[in-house]
Amino acid sequence: MQTLDIRGLERYRRLHLNIRRSLSQGEGTRRSSAKGRSAEFSGYREYIPGDDMRYVDWNAYARLDKLYIKEFMEEREGRVNILLDTSRSMEFGEKLKSTLMAELTEIISYIAMNGRDSVYVTDLADISAPLKVQSGKNGIVILDKWLQGRQPSDRIDISDALKKAVRSRGGMTFIISDFMDEDFASSEVDVLRYFRYYGTEVMLIHILSEEEMNIKLSGAYRFVDSEDENRDIRLTLNRRTIGEYDDALKEYIKLLQVNAGKAGASYVLCNTGENTETIMYEKLKSIFSL
């Protein structure tokens, strides 16, 4: 997988990840309702969107025109899980779907670590060996090498892999895939509710290639399943067949989106023809804040 360099990540250093549900037990910057060792005042820090407004020092705001939080409470880190579909169907497009997946993985990891959240990245073809991303630039370097070392896998049972990948309570989980799994839509609600049972916020990042979303070919073709060379179909691409394809794709996208909503998860559709920065600041803006 092609990835970003450190300089490409630094443009996102002002973003913070909003994690609203129960958190892990490590030390970090997410505020917990649990009492710390003492209820006495311990200091100030700058306000982060999502902080409890009851702890804003309004006298300091009047003097400095800037919001500061009084710290009385124990703080805990959030856990961020990024689950990656490395099936062969992700290796498609002028810009590979796996390339956009790797870019988003690095950006989300970078932002989460800047907020002192713990980050775990899992290849759904090998869920027994998740990568815990170390903090700092060295962690990004290791993540970069890990991503570049991923090899395309044969067909992955996404539903089964996702259930097995749930290991902790709370935090946020990003599932990045093209969801080219015929059985996923039928089990999507149950799978995502399984995450919700563990108190985890879930976002599905659905990646399709520009070529899949905007077909410009015409004529007779033989299409071969990238994950099973014994499965193929001969098809003549014309206005009618392309229209039927577009309708079926829109229906499938809508189904994934509706199912995600039923399970209390978020859904975002991205295509490889879009600018990565636009995806972050427009399509994923609901989960980040400045």
Side-chain angles (χ1 to χ4, degrees), residues 87-234:
S87 57
R88 293 188 186 280
S89 64
M90 294 294 288
E91 302 299 308
F92 180 77
E94 181 177 350
K95 177 178 179 178
L96 300 179
K97 290 180 280 185
S98 63
T99 296
L100 179 56
M101 178 172 69
E103 292 173 350
L104 295 178
T105 298
E106 287 198 334
I107 295 169
I108 293 168
S109 298
Y110 177 82
I111 293 169
M113 289 189 298
N114 276 351
R116 295 177 64 196
D117 296 321
S118 59
V119 180
Y120 294 80
V121 183
T122 301
D123 180 345
L124 289 175
D126 185 16
I127 59 174
S128 63
L131 173 70
K132 185 180 189 305
V133 185
Q134 300 175 19
S135 59
K137 290 185 178 180
N138 190 51
I140 291 296
V141 171
I142 293 172
L143 173 60
D144 182 88
K145 291 181 179 178
W146 186 87
L147 288 168
Q148 292 191 42
R150 297 301 92 193
Q151 296 298 318
S153 307
D154 293 331
R155 191 179 301 276
I156 298 173
D157 184 332
I158 297 293
S159 300
D160 183 62
L162 288 176
K163 283 189 175 182
K164 292 177 179 177
V166 180
R167 292 189 177 89
S168 64
R169 292 186 176 273
M172 174 171 272
T173 294
F174 296 88
I175 302 169
I176 309 181
S177 172
D178 60 3
F179 298 108
M180 294 295 184
D181 180 344
E182 297 174 359
D183 299 322
F184 177 70
S186 61
S187 59
E188 179 185 1
V189 175
D190 289 339
V191 170
L192 297 182
R193 282 177 176 168
Y194 189 65
F195 281 89
R196 188 175 182 181
Y197 173 79
Y198 281 89
T200 304
E201 292 184 74
V202 179
M203 169 166 278
L204 275 64
I205 300 180
H206 187 189
I207 295 180
L208 294 176
S209 69
E210 174 68 19
E211 293 86 350
E212 288 169 326
M213 297 192 71
N214 298 290
I215 295 180
K216 297 178 180 179
L217 300 174
S218 62
Y221 292 89
R222 174 175 174 256
F223 295 92
V224 179
D225 189 330
S226 60
E227 298 173 13
D228 184 353
E229 294 182 357
N230 294 318
R231 299 178 62 186
D232 64 5
I233 184 173
R234 296 183 184 276

